Structure formats: C-alpha cells, structure tokens
Amino acid sequence: MSKIITIGREFGSGGRELGRRLSEKLGYAYYDQEIIAEIAKRTALSEEYVQQIIERKPITSFPIHIGHSFYPVTNPMFQQSLNVYAEQHKLLQEMAAKSDCIIVGRCADYILRDEKPFRVFVYADVDSKLDRCMKRKAEDEHLTEQEMKKRMASIDKGRAKYYEFYSDRKWGARENYDLMVNTSGQNIKVVTQAVLDYLAALEK
Amino acid sequence: MSKIITIGREFGSGGRELGRRLSEKLGYAYYDQEIIAEIAKRTALSEEYVQQIIERKPITSFPIHIGHSFYPVTNPMFQQSLNVYAEQHKLLQEMAAKSDCIIVGRCADYILRDEKPFRVFVYADVDSKLDRCMKRKAEDEHLTEQEMKKRMASIDKGRAKYYEFYSDRKWGARENYDLMVNTSGQNIKVVTQAVLDYLAALEK
C-alpha cells in the first residue's frame, strides 16, 4: 500500500511549502495545483472555475417539501460542484494507488480515509501568516495589510465550509489529524525537518 | 531563562506518561501531582480538596443586580477556589524560574505565557483512550467500559471548564498550542522520541 501524507492548512501558514519540501526530502509525488488542472481536463471546465468550486462549498438548493414527498430542485451549479467533487474523489484514489504521495488540501484526509494517510494540519498566528502573505504576494497585487487579513480569513472560511460540507467533519479540529503543527515565527525549512524526524521516529 | 514545556492532555491519551518520559530524557524537572501537594501545604487544605478544586471550575456566585449597583454575594467555596488558583499561579512561576521543567496540566501554558513555554497538547480517539484507561485502572476499581467512557468524558469536561474559566481560552483549540500530538494506537515511548526529535530539529 502507498504511503500517503495529507496536509490541511490555514492560508499563509506555510502548509503548501511544507508539503512540497516534505515530498522532495521523501521522494514522494506531490499533488496540489496539479489536481485542479487534471479535473479541469476531465470535466471540460476551466481551471479557474474548478478552483472556484473547490475553494467554496457548493450553493445548495433546498428541497421543496410538499406533503410527505421531497421534490429536490435541481440546480445546474450545484450539480457541477458535485461532479467536480466526484472527479476529485476518483482522481485522489488513482493517485494514492499509483505511488507514495503528499496531497495538500482537497479533503484528501477524508476522501482517502480508508488508506490510512498520515494527516497533518498546519496553522499559525495571524501575524505570522500576514507576514508570510505580504512577502510572497505577487508584484501586481496591492493589498494593504487590512485587506490581506480579510482575504486570509475569507479563504479559510471557504476551506472550512468546503471541508465540512463534504466530510461532515470540522476543519482544523484535532480529532481529524495525526499531527498539528504551529509554524508561527518558524522557518518552514526547519519545520519540515522537524516533521520528517517526527515521522521517522514513529516508523522505527 | 529556563526552558519550559507545558503539556495539556485529554484523559487517557498518555499525556502524563509523555511528560514524565520527556523529563527523563531531557533531564528537566517534572511537575504534576507535586503541584497539588505543595498547594495543599501552602493553603492548609487537604490534597483531595485541592485536587477537586483544580479539576473543576469554581462554582461562581452570581452578583445580585439592584438598580445600578452590583452587590456580589461572597461565597466561601468560590473564594477558596480563587485562593488555590492564586497559589498555583505563584508556585508555577517559582518552579519555572528555578530550572528547566515540564508541567502537565494546571493551565501552565496560560499562566506561564510570558516565559514562552513550548506548549504541547496530547489527544487520542476514544477507543485508544478507553483501552489505556482500562489497562491501568487500579485493582479495586470495577468500572465497566461504559462507565469508564463516562468518566473520561466527565474529567475532560472539567478540565475544559477549568481552563476556560481561568484563561478565557478554549481548551484543546489549536491556537493555544505549538504542537498537537495524536497518540491513537501509538506506544507513548515511541511518541516521546518523536516529540524529542521534533524539538531537537526546531532548535538546530
């Protein structure tokens, strides 16, 4: 069976960098943005659109209740979200079967629960995350610190809703992870080594 | 400045054993039950009574509100709880000043926040905790699994309330810890080495 590490993370906590560095050190495949591209190909939707769906929980349509029967109102947007999720589900299982891998985000800890992945969650305090985000933001972005804080909160809110919608579990709650790592004030390269050493000790 | 590691833990997760083993490996002082004994000595209350206070949030007395003034009803039980907490606060600061140490429970992560302790939280799934509790229970205890589960939940509820009462923070919520360790199905000796290796990597 493949070894799988899943990484959930707060926006700006360095979780993605941690995932990439772990994969380099361990020689595991690394999946993150690649997943979006592949789903886009398979569903014939644009990458931007798939990304949007994946970062937000779908807009549900409430079933209309008449007498004792339910008449669900079909909503094409909602249906598309479910298709993307189904495609993602299939894709993650294919990837996990193929080789040892590290998967960032995408409810992978939940979707692949039967393969018993090692589930990491990465978080940090607001100042550390803000600092990381302000440093790495693209040249053409002119967000103030206040705007960046809002953006950080909004992205995490989207992630939490998405996770909770599909998994019925609480995003970032300890019971869903094997190790939770606070990166506040830490260099991700150093944290990567710490996590590697933690994993190596468990396997001895 | 002394190096301090604080350990919060769910009942039955092996957090106390982890603390003791870490202290042996690191050569740090270890404080747990000793704190109770010392507070009992200083407050002239029995150890059992101090333990009881420390595991539950104090019974507050609601202030009676008449017109625009508040007349707090003084309640000797509540006052005693506050005395025990004040004594504990002083004691933890004395211990932290004296030498490198590991402190299990007692809101130490909050009380000693200015000394920047490394804050660990230890948790596990119910089955693992139940298994650990049933194995280690005293010979004269005849709790069934169901009763033990109830007891586990009740002790953790007490810890959460106590922590939240004194710190105004949420017990077991990730933002209050530097590392959160899931011990489900793990040997604590192995987890101890993993945490040691994690700490060593951060200090390199």
Side-chain angles (χ1 to χ4, degrees):
Chain A
M1 203 155 95
S2 310
K3 284 181 190 164
I4 305 162
I5 300 173
T6 62
I7 300 189
R9 76 291 183 218
E10 289 179 356
F11 186 73
S13 67
R16 184 179 293 195
E17 183 185 338
L18 177 69
R20 198 176 38 73
R21 286 187 183 277
L22 282 176
S23 77
E24 283 165 11
K25 291 276 189 176
L26 291 166
Y28 286 15
Y30 172 76
Y31 300 114
D32 178 1
Q33 211 57 27
E34 295 82 351
I35 298 175
I36 308 283
E38 183 62 25
I39 295 173
K41 223 165 69 188
R42 293 187 182 192
T43 54
L45 299 168
S46 79
E47 282 189 35
E48 289 69 27
Y49 187 62
V50 170
Q51 175 94 48
Q52 220 179 54
I53 290 179
I54 268 179
E55 276 177 359
R56 271 177 188 71
K57 92 174 162 106
I59 306 129
T60 49
S61 52
F62 294 99
I64 299 173
H65 186 199
I66 307 172
H68 292 289
S69 310
F70 284 97
Y71 294 89
V73 177
T74 49
N75 170 335
M77 293 270 291
F78 182 57
Q79 193 49 49
Q80 224 157 45
S81 295
L82 292 184
N83 290 349
V84 164
Y85 184 73
E87 208 50 66
Q88 174 170 259
H89 196 107
K90 238 167 63 191
L91 189 59
L92 285 178
Q93 288 186 317
E94 284 172 32
M95 293 182 322
K98 209 159 61 182
S99 70
D100 296 343
C101 61
I102 292 181
I103 305 169
V104 176
R106 324 291 163 217
C107 292
D109 55 294
Y110 175 74
I111 293 175
L112 298 176
R113 62 195 179 283
D114 292 340
E115 338 296 324
K116 307 267 172 246
F118 189 83
R119 304 156 303 165
V120 179
F121 190 88
V122 186
Y123 61 101
D125 61 33
V126 172
D127 287 348
S128 289
K129 292 187 291 187
L130 186 61
D131 192 50
R132 191 168 278 120
C133 288
M134 293 306 281
K135 274 180 191 153
R136 76 166 180 207
K137 71 175 176 180
E139 290 285 317
D140 56 349
E141 271 184 84
H142 300 289
L143 297 185
T144 63
E145 289 206 346
Q146 217 41 45
E147 287 164 340
M148 184 61 93
K149 263 192 200 173
K150 259 196 184 161
R151 190 180 166 187
M152 283 162 41
S154 141
I155 290 178
D156 278 350
K157 205 172 156 188
R159 285 179 182 173
K161 278 192 179 166
Y162 180 78
Y163 186 83
E164 282 156 36
F165 182 82
Y166 284 118
S167 72
D168 213 13
R169 296 179 178 182
K170 199 166 150 34
W171 183 76
R174 62 184 185 271
E175 62 269 24
N176 303 322
Y177 307 96
D178 298 300
L179 187 68
M180 299 185 74
V181 173
N182 189 336
T183 59
S184 303
Q186 301 281 0
N187 180 315
I188 299 299
K189 218 167 148 176
V190 173
V191 177
T192 303
Q193 193 55 52
V195 172
L196 282 171
D197 292 351
Y198 186 94
L199 288 169
L202 284 196
E203 295 207 342
K204 256 178 208 159
Chain B
M1 204 156 93
S2 309
K3 283 180 190 165
I4 305 161
I5 299 173
T6 63
I7 299 189
R9 77 291 182 220
E10 290 179 354
F11 186 72
S13 68
R16 184 180 293 192
E17 183 185 338
L18 177 70
R20 196 175 40 72
R21 286 186 183 277
L22 282 175
S23 78
E24 282 164 11
K25 290 279 190 177
L26 292 166
Y28 286 15
Y30 172 75
Y31 300 114
D32 178 1
Q33 211 56 26
E34 297 81 351
I35 298 174
I36 308 283
E38 182 62 26
I39 296 172
K41 222 164 69 188
R42 292 187 182 193
T43 53
L45 299 168
S46 78
E47 282 188 35
E48 288 70 28
Y49 188 62
V50 170
Q51 176 94 47
Q52 219 179 56
I53 290 178
I54 269 179
E55 277 179 356
R56 274 179 183 68
K57 92 175 164 104
I59 307 129
T60 49
S61 51
F62 295 100
I64 298 173
H65 186 201
I66 307 172
H68 291 291
S69 312
F70 283 96
Y71 294 89
V73 176
T74 49
N75 170 335
M77 293 270 291
F78 182 57
Q79 194 50 48
Q80 225 160 41
S81 294
L82 293 182
N83 290 348
V84 164
Y85 184 73
E87 208 50 65
Q88 171 170 262
H89 195 108
K90 240 168 61 192
L91 189 59
L92 285 179
Q93 287 185 316
E94 285 171 33
M95 293 183 321
K98 211 161 58 181
S99 70
D100 297 342
C101 60
I102 292 182
I103 305 169
V104 176
R106 323 293 163 215
C107 291
D109 55 292
Y110 176 73
I111 293 174
L112 298 176
R113 62 195 179 282
D114 292 341
E115 336 298 323
K116 308 264 172 249
F118 189 83
R119 305 157 300 166
V120 179
F121 190 87
V122 185
Y123 60 102
D125 60 33
V126 173
D127 288 346
S128 290
K129 292 188 291 187
L130 186 62
D131 190 50
R132 193 169 275 119
C133 288
M134 293 305 281
K135 273 181 191 149
R136 76 167 179 208
K137 72 175 177 181
E139 290 285 318
D140 56 349
E141 271 184 85
H142 300 290
L143 298 185
T144 63
E145 289 206 345
Q146 218 40 46
E147 287 163 342
M148 184 60 94
K149 264 192 197 172
K150 260 196 183 162
R151 190 179 167 188
M152 283 162 43
S154 143
I155 290 178
D156 278 351
K157 204 171 157 190
R159 286 179 181 171
K161 277 191 177 167
Y162 180 80
Y163 186 83
E164 282 157 37
F165 182 83
Y166 284 118
S167 73
D168 214 13
R169 295 179 180 182
K170 200 166 150 33
W171 182 77
R174 61 183 186 269
E175 61 269 24
N176 303 321
Y177 307 95
D178 298 299
L179 187 67
M180 300 184 76
V181 174
N182 188 338
T183 59
S184 304
Q186 300 281 359
N187 180 316
I188 300 298
K189 218 166 148 179
V190 173
V191 176
T192 303
Q193 193 55 53
V195 172
L196 282 171
D197 291 351
Y198 186 94
L199 287 169
L202 285 195
E203 294 206 343
K204 256 177 208 160

